[in-house]
Amino acid sequence: MTPTAGGRAKLTRKQKITNIVGLAIIALIFGTVFYFARNNASNTDVGDCVKETGSNGLQQVDCGNSEARYKVVGKVKDKSQAEATFSTCSEFKGTSDLYWQKSGSQSFVLCLAPVSP
C-alpha cells in the first residue's frame, strides 16, 4: 500500500479483488442460510400448511401440495415445553396435534389441524 496525499493508503488491485471475493462468499453464506430457513416451522403463520420432517420436525409447504399434512390453526408464543399441551390450543377449533419449538430465546406452540382433501 502506498500512502496518498490525503493520508489514506490506496488498495492494490489484488486487495480489491480479495475484498470483493470475500464479500461475495459472505453474501452466499447468508443467502444459503436464508434459503434453507425460509420454510422452517418458526416462519409459519396461521393458515399455512406443513409436512412432517424426520421424527420431530415440520416444514412449511403449499396447502395444495400432496405432502401437506396439517394446517396451522393457531400459534401461541412464549410457551415452555411443559406448557405445550392441548389446553394451550383449546381455543383453536379442529386442533388434533401440536408442535412446540424453541429457537434461541423464542418459543412457540403450533396448533395443528389435519389438511382436508
Side-chain angles (χ1 to χ4, degrees):
M1 281 191 243
T2 56
T4 61
R8 290 187 177 175
K10 190 174 182 180
L11 294 178
T12 65
R13 184 169 195 257
K14 184 178 179 180
Q15 289 170 322
K16 288 179 185 178
I17 291 172
T18 302
N19 288 346
I20 290 170
V21 169
L23 289 173
I25 290 171
I26 290 170
L28 182 64
I29 291 169
F30 279 111
T32 302
V33 169
F34 176 76
Y35 177 79
F36 286 107
R38 77 188 191 291
N39 291 332
N40 190 318
S42 60
N43 296 327
T44 59
D45 291 316
V46 173
D48 291 337
C49 291
V50 294
K51 71 175 185 175
E52 294 174 307
T53 58
S55 61
N56 191 25
L58 294 179
Q59 180 182 2
Q60 184 179 345
V61 294
D62 183 77
C63 289
N65 187 324
S66 63
E67 294 181 311
R69 177 130 188 240
Y70 298 105
K71 188 170 195 169
V72 178
V73 293
K75 186 171 185 176
V76 184
K77 296 181 180 182
D78 301 323
K79 294 292 181 183
S80 69
Q81 189 170 9
E83 295 172 309
T85 63
F86 280 100
S87 64
T88 301
C89 294
S90 62
E91 66 183 273
F92 304 108
K93 185 178 178 182
T95 299
S96 64
D97 288 279
L98 53 94
Y99 174 81
W100 177 83
Q101 181 175 313
K102 181 172 178 130
S103 180
S105 63
Q106 298 179 349
S107 61
F108 62 89
V109 175
L110 293 180
C111 306
L112 306 170
V115 171
S116 302

